[in-house]
Every structure is written in C-alpha cells, then in structure tokens.
Amino acid sequence: MRKLEDYKRIISIGDIHGHYDKAVELWEKIRFNDGEDLLIFHGDYIDRGAESVRTLQFVKSLVESHENIIALKGNHEDFMQNFFEIYSIEDADWWNLYDLWLDPRNGGDVTLKQLRKLDRREFYKLLRFVRQLPLHLELGDYFFVHAGVHPRKENPAEQTEHDFLWIRDKFLKYYRGKQTIVAGHTPVQYLYRKCTVPMMLSNHILLTDTGTAFGGELSAVNVRDLTYLQSGSTTDKWKKIDSEG
C-alpha cells in the first residue's frame, strides 16, 4: 500500500488533451526520480489537441516503464471507451456521427481518425490501457481524481464513476471534506478567466488543469509543498501556488 511519507515529491499533472510537445517538455523539466517520487496523471490525454494518439502512447509508455507513475482515467478516455463498446474500429459505415465524442467541440472526431491509422494490434493495446485506467488514488490526506467527488457522499464507496469523471459545479461549490481533493477536468479559467496557473481553493480543492486544451500551458504540481512547474517556461524552477483569497 502506498503511503504519503514514501515519497519526496508527489507530482500531479493536469489535462494534456493531445498536446504531446508540452507533455514531453514538462516531463523533461520535472526530472522524475522513480525511486523517490510519485507522479499522477489526471486524465484527458486525448482530444482537442493535434496529437492525441501520440500523447496517449507517451503516457502509456511512462506508466509501463516506471513503478511510481499512475495514470487516472478522464472523461475523454471514458468517451473513447464507451464509443468502442458500441462500434468496432472497422465500423466506418455504422458510426453515429452525432455521438457526443465525435462532436468537434469535444475533439473525438480527430482522435478517431488518428486511431484508424494505427496498426490494429497497437490500437487494441491502447484501448485495453484506457479500459484499465483507475478512477482515483487515495493517499493519506489527499484524494487524486479526474473531476472531483460528490460533496454529499462522504464514503468513497458511495461515489459513482460519473462523479469521479464528470462532476464540476456541485463539487467546486459545496465540497467541505477534510481531504484535499487534487483534480483536473475544470480549467482554472472556469473560475477566474485570467488565471493561468494551478489553484488551491479555500475548501481543500487543488485544481491542476490550466487550460492546455484551449491554448494554456500544461502544469505539474508538487502537492507536498504546493509548488508548480509549467511548459513554455524558460526556467525549471518550481514556483509557489497562491491560495484562493
């Protein structure tokens, strides 16, 4: 069983959304040590960016080659998984073009085109990886998840998959739990339009999605000391997060 004190750094990385170059840049800046650190990807590796499949392959390779890297499932991986529970990769004539994943606003249409170009064995390896992604990680006073938790369900066993992958406003407004919830899913700009960095909210919510899908930088947060690092920066120096308020 993993324990908080086992790691010098516990690093959370927000939603990548197909921005492979930013993911690689940030990974190199972090200088991850598999013997001392724990790294958690918070889901949404695909869609909206130009290189969804390449990004998913990159995350998969890191998880498989490191003991202390964990990739959580995001709602966009859930989109993909649910789509292929209905259709096969060969079913071009039968796809429902109105499927929510294929809506250009969600980006699955581009991801699907990239998946179709893969060798079939590689495609099924990626699909199996997506299906096996965990929904959350609990570590002492911290709970790592893609979207959040339902504020009226104190026991994690009462939470649903939909809560972990999709919840937003109820979680952000009404959560009052003792654990710090570290989440992606909601870009910080959703709360503060001009914000560009990770945020620690006053109700023990740490948001790591800094709007990479919409042109922002990709962020990594060390939850042990509330510092962050971003792609696009000319330095690899970790900066302190300002708490809300």
Side-chain angles (χ1 to χ4, degrees):
M1 180 179 293
R2 297 180 184 272
K3 297 180 181 178
L4 195 67
E5 58 269 20
D6 290 341
Y7 309 102
K8 286 187 176 181
R9 298 187 299 175
I10 299 175
I11 301 168
S12 284
I13 293 182
D15 305 24
I16 305 172
H17 278 299
H19 289 269
Y20 171 78
D21 290 344
K22 292 181 180 180
V24 172
E25 178 193 345
L26 190 60
W27 164 254
E28 292 174 349
K29 284 183 176 180
I30 288 171
R31 299 176 185 174
F32 180 76
N33 186 327
D34 203 27
E36 298 179 347
D37 301 329
L38 175 66
L39 190 150
I40 302 109
F41 287 104
H42 280 259
D44 281 8
Y45 314 111
I46 61 173
D47 301 342
R48 295 187 174 138
E51 297 184 277
S52 288
V53 168
R54 196 176 182 190
T55 301
L56 186 59
Q57 290 172 323
F58 176 64
V59 172
K60 178 176 178 287
S61 69
L62 292 181
V63 170
E64 292 176 344
S65 60
H66 295 82
E67 180 181 353
N68 289 319
I69 293 182
I70 296 171
L72 302 178
K73 183 179 292 185
N75 61 298
H76 282 260
E77 286 74 52
D78 192 52
F79 268 149
M80 173 182 163
Q81 178 179 335
N82 290 337
F83 183 87
F84 287 113
E85 287 177 357
I86 301 173
Y87 307 104
S88 75
I89 192 68
E90 294 83 13
D91 277 343
D93 295 334
W94 295 96
W95 291 332
N96 180 358
L97 297 180
Y98 296 99
D99 186 283
L100 192 57
W101 184 46
L102 300 184
D103 188 317
R105 291 172 295 181
N106 289 321
D109 55 334
V110 176
T111 303
L112 181 57
K113 291 177 182 178
Q114 295 175 5
L115 289 169
R116 291 191 69 200
K117 294 178 181 179
L118 290 177
D119 173 85
R120 287 296 177 263
R121 289 177 296 180
E122 175 63 13
F123 164 74
Y124 285 112
K125 286 180 181 178
L126 284 178
L127 184 58
R128 183 167 59 250
F129 175 69
V130 164
R131 286 172 172 163
Q132 294 174 347
L133 291 173
L135 294 172
H136 60 83
L137 172 68
E138 189 170 8
L139 201 62
D141 294 332
Y142 295 90
F143 192 89
F144 302 85
V145 67
H146 175 64
V149 297
H150 197 292
R152 293 186 178 178
K153 301 175 183 177
E154 295 184 6
N155 188 337
E158 297 175 346
Q159 303 283 339
T160 67
E161 184 171 315
H162 189 272
D163 293 330
F164 292 139
L165 294 175
W166 288 94
I167 198 166
R168 176 168 286 138
D169 291 336
K170 289 180 181 179
F171 163 61
L172 295 172
K173 186 174 182 179
Y174 297 113
Y175 177 74
R176 295 296 183 272
K178 295 180 180 179
Q179 284 183 307
T180 295
I181 309 297
V182 187
H185 185 58
T186 299
V188 294
Q189 294 85 0
Y190 183 82
L191 296 178
Y192 297 97
R193 185 170 58 88
K194 294 184 179 181
C195 185
T196 60
V197 299
M199 292 181 57
M200 171 61 85
L201 306 184
S202 58
N203 56 340
H204 293 176
I205 295 174
L206 177 56
L207 295 179
T208 63
D209 183 351
T210 46
T212 309
F214 308 107
E217 296 300 339
L218 182 64
S219 298
V221 177
N222 180 5
V223 304
R224 296 300 302 269
D225 61 5
L226 291 183
T227 56
Y228 71 94
L229 194 63
Q230 290 186 306
S231 63
S233 173
T234 57
T235 177
D236 58 1
K237 182 179 180 181
W238 294 73
K239 299 179 181 179
K240 193 71 176 177
I241 291 178
D242 291 329
S243 298
E244 181 186 44

